[in-house]
Amino acid sequence: SPPPPLPFSKTREQFRVIPDGSQHVASSVWFSSTIFSFIVLDTTMAGIQADWAEGDSVEDTAVYWAVDFVITFVFFVEMVARLHQLSWLYFDDPWNIFDFLCAVMGGSTLVLPAQSGSTTQNATNLRVIKAMKAFRILRLFRAGRYIAGLQMLRSLYLLMKGMMAGMKTLFWTFCLWFMCLYVFSVFLVLIVSDDLWVREAWPEADIYVGGVWLSMLTLWQVCTRDHWARDVGRPLMENAPFSLVVIFAVFVVITFGIMSVILGVMIQNIRTVMANTHVTSERRLKAVEHNVLVGMHEDFLEFDKDATGELTFKEFMALCKSESFSLKLRLLGIYNSEAADLFHLIDADGSGSVSAEEFVLGLQKVKGVASGQDLLHVITFMEKQSRRARGYIDSVRRMSAHADSLQKRLDAMGMHMTTEIDNKKQCKDNAVKLAVLAKERECVLRTMDTIQRTHYPQAKMDRHVPFGGSDLGEMRSLARPGNSRGKAWS
């Protein structure tokens, strides 16, 4: 079966197109800030009036009446402005209905006479007016609609939103709590009230368990654990031990059960509000991105001077340098430095030009979520690149093996060259030594030849002094290159 129609559904159908209030004064930031400030001021003045008001006469409340008049007038102006902005759709929002009631009750407190006196009618009127004035404290909850966009107060907004969303569940939870409290109170009264010994031993029995309503207050004290052990628990344990079963049941069912349910409901509502807020933000972000893409498509067609429906690389770069298009690109998270890469990315067919359809689809792919076909293209491309990379790795390994063999050969050649260099050096040293010895031999032979030609054998020679020794040393000294005697002999 179709769901029942919502309130003002006919009005919504009649005004199918909601008026665009983006330029209306009620949608401006300063207007919302002013209303938020007056809400805080009204709540503060209510507290000051409750503490510092000296009486209920007109003379005592003249200043407060003047402040209330200004605040009520501001709220009335706000109501009129929002009615002008939304027309009958104003009453389709529960917050607006609450604002309307606050404005009406605030105006009523200014109009109704606040006369004090001993008559019953004057006392009743005074209590009604005070109750209507106290109702304006609830205006503070209106601040939730103004702090929704503030990041620093986001947690407070979620708590308020979750509490308002869970009011229906909390109401039925309260009904369950009331029924359980009533049942346990009846049990407690039946157990204790008929026992005269309990009343005699416990003088305060009539105060705590003298009736069902008194027992309900007593069990509520047990639930809140407000001095329950001293005032209720110990007297019942001493005089009616069986009644402790009821106390234990109250702890289990109400304190640990229903209170936990209330906490769970609050947490669940807050999580639901967070999820709905996230979905709403995503929807608004998609709408903004759609409007940005539409504007970029219009700019694209505007820069198509030859009306071919395509832009070349030069025209595309000129389009990216325009102020409006550059701002839209930044909104999508793309900067001017990435324009060239964006063109080559969008130009999938490599034609050197980009059509309007390719442009919009390319931007959606850059900003949007990848589809299954896009993932398939990416997977295929990665597999091809992986095969190419494996081929490159095999080639590098073969080249590395060849380089290792060449290194070994170069090491062997280096060892042979080092040995050959050492041998050449040793041969050179030996040749130098041999040349020195040869020169010395030549000098000795020349000296001996000179001595044989210049010295004659003596007639008498000492047989005990053989030739050699000093004579050989003399010949060597004469044969030295720098000796003047040797030069003369030679």
Side-chain angles (χ1 to χ4, degrees):
S1 61
L6 297 174
F8 299 97
S9 59
K10 294 183 179 180
T11 306
R12 183 183 294 275
E13 293 177 358
Q14 183 179 0
F15 299 95
R16 187 177 301 275
V17 179
I18 299 177
D20 184 11
S22 58
Q23 302 298 328
H24 199 275
V25 64
S27 299
S28 61
V29 177
W30 68 267
F31 184 83
S32 300
S33 302
T34 303
I35 298 301
F36 178 78
S37 301
F38 272 93
I39 289 174
V40 176
L41 176 63
D42 183 34
T43 307
T44 305
M45 288 301 300
I48 293 174
Q49 186 175 358
D51 281 342
W52 298 94
E54 297 179 355
D56 297 327
S57 62
V58 177
E59 293 79 6
D60 296 333
T61 60
V63 178
Y64 301 108
W65 187 89
V67 175
D68 290 344
F69 178 80
V70 174
I71 294 174
T72 304
F73 178 77
V74 171
F75 289 152
F76 181 78
V77 171
E78 179 206 8
M79 182 184 66
V80 173
R82 296 196 183 279
L83 279 170
H84 181 266
Q85 179 190 18
L86 301 175
S87 185
W88 288 106
L89 294 179
Y90 173 83
F91 295 100
D92 202 13
D93 188 0
W95 280 109
N96 293 334
I97 297 176
F98 180 74
D99 293 346
F100 179 79
L101 292 177
C102 289
V104 171
M105 296 186 71
S108 301
T109 57
L110 297 176
V111 175
L112 292 177
Q115 296 178 359
S116 61
S118 58
T119 62
T120 305
Q121 185 66 30
N122 291 338
T124 303
N125 292 338
L126 184 61
R127 285 195 294 268
V128 171
I129 293 173
K130 287 184 177 181
M132 294 176 67
K133 288 183 177 181
F135 183 78
R136 68 183 186 180
I137 300 297
L138 299 178
R139 289 175 179 171
L140 185 61
F141 290 103
R142 295 175 54 199
R145 67 187 301 174
Y146 300 105
I147 66 176
L150 298 178
Q151 189 66 26
M152 68 171 68
L153 300 177
R154 180 177 177 81
S155 299
L156 177 60
Y157 170 74
L158 292 177
L159 287 174
M160 296 176 61
K161 193 74 173 177
M163 186 178 66
M164 297 298 295
M167 290 302 295
K168 183 178 179 180
T169 306
L170 290 176
F171 172 76
W172 291 114
T173 305
F174 173 77
C175 292
L176 176 62
W177 167 84
F178 183 82
M179 288 188 296
C180 293
L181 201 63
Y182 177 78
V183 171
F184 290 132
S185 299
V186 171
F187 272 107
L188 187 60
V189 170
L190 293 176
I191 292 172
V192 179
S193 62
D194 295 337
D195 196 345
L196 298 177
W197 183 83
V198 173
R199 294 178 177 274
E200 293 177 358
W202 187 20
E204 298 178 351
D206 292 335
I207 298 176
Y208 289 98
V209 292
V212 175
W213 298 111
L214 296 176
S215 298
M216 291 180 67
L217 291 176
T218 302
L219 293 182
W220 174 244
Q221 181 180 352
V222 172
C223 292
T224 57
R225 288 171 288 184
D226 181 19
H227 301 289
W228 72 275
R230 183 190 62 188
D231 298 339
V232 181
R234 287 187 177 87
L236 288 177
M237 183 178 63
E238 294 174 358
N239 303 303
F242 187 71
S243 61
L244 292 179
V245 177
V246 179
I247 303 298
F248 178 77
V250 169
F251 267 113
V252 173
V253 176
I254 298 180
T255 304
F256 299 133
I258 298 179
M259 295 300 178
S260 300
V261 170
I262 294 175
L263 182 61
V265 168
M266 294 296 296
I267 294 174
Q268 181 63 31
N269 287 329
I270 291 175
R271 294 182 63 181
T272 304
V273 169
M274 291 178 63
N276 293 336
T277 304
H278 180 72
V279 171
T280 304
S281 301
E282 290 291 335
R283 190 183 299 114
R284 292 178 179 176
L285 182 60
K286 288 182 180 179
V288 172
E289 290 180 356
H290 175 73
N291 295 333
V292 170
L293 289 176
V294 171
M296 296 178 75
H297 183 267
E298 295 176 355
D299 294 341
F300 184 92
L301 297 178
E302 182 180 353
F303 272 76
D304 185 15
K305 303 298 183 181
D306 50 2
T308 58
E310 295 184 352
L311 292 182
T312 61
F313 180 76
K314 184 177 180 180
E315 293 174 340
F316 182 78
M317 294 303 295
L319 173 62
C320 293
K321 292 180 180 178
S322 64
E323 184 177 358
S324 61
F325 193 82
S326 177
L327 177 60
K328 294 170 185 176
L329 283 178
R330 287 198 298 270
L331 290 176
L332 295 178
I334 304 172
Y335 297 93
N336 292 335
S337 59
E338 304 173 353
D341 297 333
L342 179 63
F343 179 84
H344 296 300
L345 181 63
I346 296 176
D347 187 17
D349 53 359
S351 60
S353 60
V354 175
S355 63
E357 290 76 12
E358 288 180 343
F359 176 73
V360 174
L361 291 177
L363 287 178
Q364 289 178 349
K365 289 182 178 180
V366 169
K367 191 62 181 175
V369 180
S371 61
Q373 186 177 3
D374 297 332
L375 293 177
L376 182 60
H377 287 313
V378 172
I379 292 173
T380 305
F381 176 77
M382 293 302 296
E383 289 180 352
K384 291 181 181 179
Q385 297 300 321
S386 178
R387 286 196 294 270
R388 292 181 61 184
R390 284 195 293 268
Y392 290 150
I393 290 173
D394 294 336
S395 300
V396 170
R397 288 177 178 174
R398 289 192 297 268
M399 294 174 63
S400 178
H402 289 304
D404 291 339
S405 62
L406 290 175
Q407 184 65 37
K408 291 179 181 180
R409 294 180 182 179
L410 290 175
D411 292 340
M413 292 176 62
M415 293 177 63
H416 291 301
M417 291 177 65
T418 302
T419 305
E420 185 176 357
I421 290 173
D422 292 339
N423 294 334
K424 286 183 177 181
K425 185 176 180 182
Q426 188 175 2
C427 291
K428 186 176 181 180
D429 294 340
N430 293 335
V432 172
K433 292 179 180 180
L434 185 60
V436 172
L437 293 175
K439 190 172 182 180
E440 290 181 356
R441 179 177 176 278
E442 184 179 358
C443 292
V444 170
L445 292 176
R446 190 183 303 116
T447 303
M448 290 177 64
D449 187 33
T450 303
I451 291 172
Q452 287 180 359
R453 286 189 285 111
T454 57
H455 289 72
Y456 296 99
Q458 297 178 359
K460 292 181 181 180
M461 298 181 63
D462 189 0
R463 297 179 180 179
H464 299 285
V465 181
F467 178 78
S470 60
D471 297 332
L472 182 60
E474 184 180 359
M475 287 188 292
R476 287 183 177 178
S477 62
L478 291 174
R480 288 173 182 167
N483 197 332
S484 59
R485 293 176 60 188
K487 290 182 180 179
W489 289 346
S490 59

